[in-house]
Amino acid sequence: MAVNTEGQTMDPAWCATLAYDRCAPVFGTLLRYDTTNEQYIPGMAASFDSVDGKTWTLRLRPGVKFTDGTDFDAAAVAFNWERVKAPATLSPAARIAAQLSWKVVDPLTLEVTQENINFQLPRALTQGLSMIGSPTAITQLGKNFGNAPIGAGPFVLKKWTRNSQAEFTANANYWDPGLPYVDSFVLKVIGQDDQRLNALRTRQININWSLLSKDAKTIEAEGYTVHSLPLIGGTGLKFNFDDPDLKDPQLRLALQKTFDSAQINSALYPGDKPVDVFLYPGNPYRDDSRGKFPEQDLAGAQKLFDAYLAKTGKAGLTLRLTAYAGIPALDRVAQILQSQLQQIEGLEVGIEQMDNAMLQGKFRSGAYQLGLGATLSEQMDAIYEVFHSGGSANTTRYSNPKVDQALETSRTSNDPGVVTEAYKVVNGEISKDAPLRTWRYQTGYIYTPKNVKGLVIVGTYGAPGCSWIGHGSTNSTPGNTRRAPLCAAVGSDQRRPVE
């Protein structure tokens, strides 16, 4: 399989959120989310249940071993979650873990208690708290564990060549009998969309990850299978609400009024419709009467900007747009955004580009002003971490009491009607405030030759993800089709480059 960016580490405390595609083969996930039936299903864990949404029981599968021979048990889960919670680990899921306490009931059972009711907690066990590493190996290897991970998933990391590929071999003692059926799996990093597409055509890869609808139409016409998953959110321009200049709402509104998503899509994503509201058309939680993105209005933008200069006593303003290096489409987007913003007289926008790891650090630390980013998921609950003022992925530092209250309601209520109303409020508010001003509605795609079977697409807010799929081997004979767990997913968050 090929994806477009490299991960920083395979430490599960980090990569369960931000490098799912690399780490799920090694660690598996405690739970999985079935997008077809919209329900959580067992993974490495047998079950995770609660009656009141506050006290949960995690039950593990018996007889599961890490690939170093040690037990995959409740104590191992507790050990890993303590690492996530520890400030020194710098885990993106630390804020989630901080709200939890747990105790080992027996070797296969963990009792988990939340500070507050949260009926959406199972989602954390599909991503941020989902991956469990060997405590023995973590203790022995220390910081190097992220380069030589030991899990209990279907594959073992054999070799990792940064910015090139990660090579995995089958875990002969995987808990699910008969899986995996393939001997090896390779995850390649190919940054350019056209190069990934050609790699698929020439069979250098069997699975291609993409977010480009134009390529989906092209490759489907050539006879390939296209799997799709509409995604909540999108790619866009993000604002740092803590920046000394951008914390001013009128200045942000001035910048937002220069935004022209139709121009971006026409140049780079022909056929994609411009975006006027955060959620895609037809989403059940979209209600345009609650709020829409600010409309383009250059005269209004100039008026607001001039008022900001007068208020602050500045003669002009220079802002910095932080973008990803090495992804041509996003290079072009950054240039278009720079041109749009600089239609305001007196405003200069410089572009700074850097690799993914550096950019993630910038976003997490808040050391940026404007940035290119995204939030993409198949589940609405993912936006809690992105837009709640205490969210673990809130790199814009956005804070809106109405959004906080509605997002909290979405977790504390088990009434679908109440949850729907809460999400409509959230969509309206984040559309009006535009902490992330997206330019197109995105669908995640997986392209495969016809012989690749049983694909399951997983939307993740941390990265392109992995799920267990069936793969008809190219050298199989009738009646002897082989199946295997492989990476196959789409999605990203505000810290990951997507196109």
Side-chain angles (χ1 to χ4, degrees):
M1 180 177 175
V3 293
N4 69 337
T5 58
E6 181 59 276
Q8 182 176 338
T9 176
M10 292 195 195
D11 185 327
W14 188 90
C15 67
T17 304
L18 299 177
Y20 190 94
D21 53 347
R22 284 151 185 78
C23 295
V26 174
F27 301 108
T29 56
L30 291 169
L31 300 178
R32 289 201 296 113
Y33 184 72
D34 180 346
T35 58
T36 301
N37 298 306
E38 297 186 348
Q39 63 183 7
Y40 297 97
I41 58 177
M44 301 298 291
S47 64
F48 187 56
D49 302 307
S50 175
V51 174
D52 60 6
K54 189 169 184 178
T55 301
W56 297 75
T57 301
L58 176 67
R59 293 182 175 87
L60 302 178
R61 300 178 183 277
V64 178
K65 299 280 188 180
F66 292 106
T67 55
D68 62 4
T70 58
D71 292 334
F72 184 99
D73 56 14
V77 174
F79 176 91
N80 278 259
W81 286 1
E82 290 291 351
R83 287 189 71 236
V84 171
K85 183 182 284 191
T89 308
L90 300 176
S91 172
R95 290 187 182 181
I96 302 172
Q99 302 169 33
L100 307 177
S101 60
W102 46 79
K103 67 177 181 179
V104 174
V105 177
D106 60 48
L108 297 179
T109 309
L110 203 69
E111 184 179 275
V112 183
T113 303
Q114 300 181 105
E115 293 179 357
N116 302 300
I117 295 172
N118 179 9
F119 286 100
Q120 304 289 347
L121 184 61
R123 186 174 191 281
L125 274 66
T126 69
Q127 294 186 29
L129 300 178
S130 68
M131 299 184 189
I132 307 301
S134 162
T136 299
I138 291 171
T139 301
Q140 290 176 347
L141 296 175
K143 293 182 179 180
N144 196 49
F145 182 79
N147 299 317
I150 300 295
F155 289 95
V156 178
L157 178 65
K158 177 183 178 182
K159 183 180 180 181
W160 185 12
T161 305
R162 294 292 208 286
N163 297 309
S164 177
Q165 64 184 34
E167 303 171 32
F168 304 87
T169 57
N171 175 6
N173 297 311
Y174 185 51
W175 65 267
D176 199 352
L179 290 177
Y181 287 135
V182 296
D183 298 320
S184 62
F185 164 55
V186 177
L187 183 69
K188 291 179 175 290
V189 178
I190 304 176
Q192 297 192 34
D193 296 287
D194 57 348
Q195 291 182 6
R196 286 199 309 279
L197 217 54
N198 287 332
L200 181 68
R201 289 171 173 138
T202 57
R203 296 299 193 270
Q204 298 175 54
I205 59 174
N206 306 103
I207 306 168
N208 183 29
W209 169 93
S210 178
L211 292 168
L212 297 181
S213 54
K214 64 180 181 66
D215 284 355
K217 294 176 183 178
T218 298
I219 205 73
E220 188 171 34
E222 294 178 16
Y224 289 82
T225 300
V226 174
H227 304 266
S228 63
L229 179 66
L231 297 170
I232 294 164
T235 313
L237 176 67
K238 58 191 287 185
F239 297 79
N240 183 352
F241 278 56
D242 277 352
D243 179 76
D245 290 306
L246 294 175
K247 67 182 180 182
D248 186 287
Q250 296 305 303
L251 175 60
R252 291 197 306 271
L253 182 58
L255 303 183
Q256 290 159 3
K257 283 179 174 290
T258 70
F259 197 94
D260 184 353
S261 63
Q263 182 186 25
I264 297 173
N265 292 345
S266 176
L268 290 157
Y269 311 105
D272 284 12
K273 296 180 179 179
V275 171
D276 58 351
V277 175
F278 179 74
L279 291 176
Y280 58 81
N283 186 287
Y285 305 116
R286 173 170 169 159
D287 179 352
D288 291 6
S289 68
R290 308 299 180 93
K292 303 179 74 173
F293 281 132
E295 294 183 355
Q296 186 185 32
D297 176 8
L298 296 180
Q302 189 68 56
K303 184 177 180 180
L304 289 167
F305 183 77
D306 290 343
Y308 177 74
L309 294 184
K311 179 174 61 176
T312 59
K314 297 182 178 182
L317 183 64
T318 299
L319 294 176
R320 183 178 64 256
L321 172 59
T322 303
Y324 299 90
I327 301 179
L330 292 184
D331 289 347
R332 179 65 180 134
V333 167
Q335 294 167 7
I336 293 173
L337 287 173
Q338 180 189 46
S339 177
Q340 290 179 0
L341 290 163
Q342 290 184 156
Q343 292 176 97
I344 296 177
E345 185 177 349
L347 176 64
E348 295 291 331
V349 178
I351 299 174
E352 62 173 0
Q353 295 178 303
M354 58 194 68
D355 65 27
N356 187 39
M358 288 182 63
L359 194 58
Q360 289 168 11
K362 284 268 189 181
F363 288 168
R364 287 196 302 271
S365 67
Y368 77 100
Q369 293 180 302
L370 302 169
L372 291 187
T375 177
L376 297 170
S377 176
E378 86 285 12
Q379 291 176 272
M380 282 296 292
D381 186 59
I383 66 175
Y384 184 105
E385 302 302 338
V386 177
F387 296 115
H388 190 282
S389 59
S392 62
N394 185 357
T395 56
T396 63
R397 278 62 176 175
Y398 174 65
S399 181
N400 179 328
K402 289 183 181 179
V403 171
D404 284 355
Q405 182 176 352
L407 286 172
E408 288 159 11
T409 297
S410 74
R411 289 186 166 185
T412 57
S413 176
N414 207 23
D415 183 330
V418 172
V419 173
T420 295
E421 173 64 21
Y423 281 141
K424 286 182 177 180
V425 171
V426 172
N427 179 56
E429 292 297 311
I430 61 178
S431 295
K432 288 188 293 186
D433 295 339
L436 176 69
R437 179 52 168 103
T438 56
W439 59 75
R440 69 188 187 104
Y441 299 110
Q442 292 185 228
T443 295
Y445 298 103
I446 295 291
Y447 313 143
T448 69
K450 294 295 184 183
N451 68 307
V452 176
K453 309 292 184 181
L455 193 67
V456 177
I457 301 179
V458 176
T460 76
Y461 70 77
C466 297
S467 187
W468 313 142
I469 69 168
H471 175 204
S473 174
T474 55
N475 61 4
S476 63
T477 56
N480 189 35
T481 299
R482 309 183 77 198
R483 292 172 56 81
L486 293 181
C487 291
V490 292
S492 190
D493 79 340
Q494 291 187 316
R495 293 154 291 185
R496 293 297 301 254
V498 293
E499 298 179 42

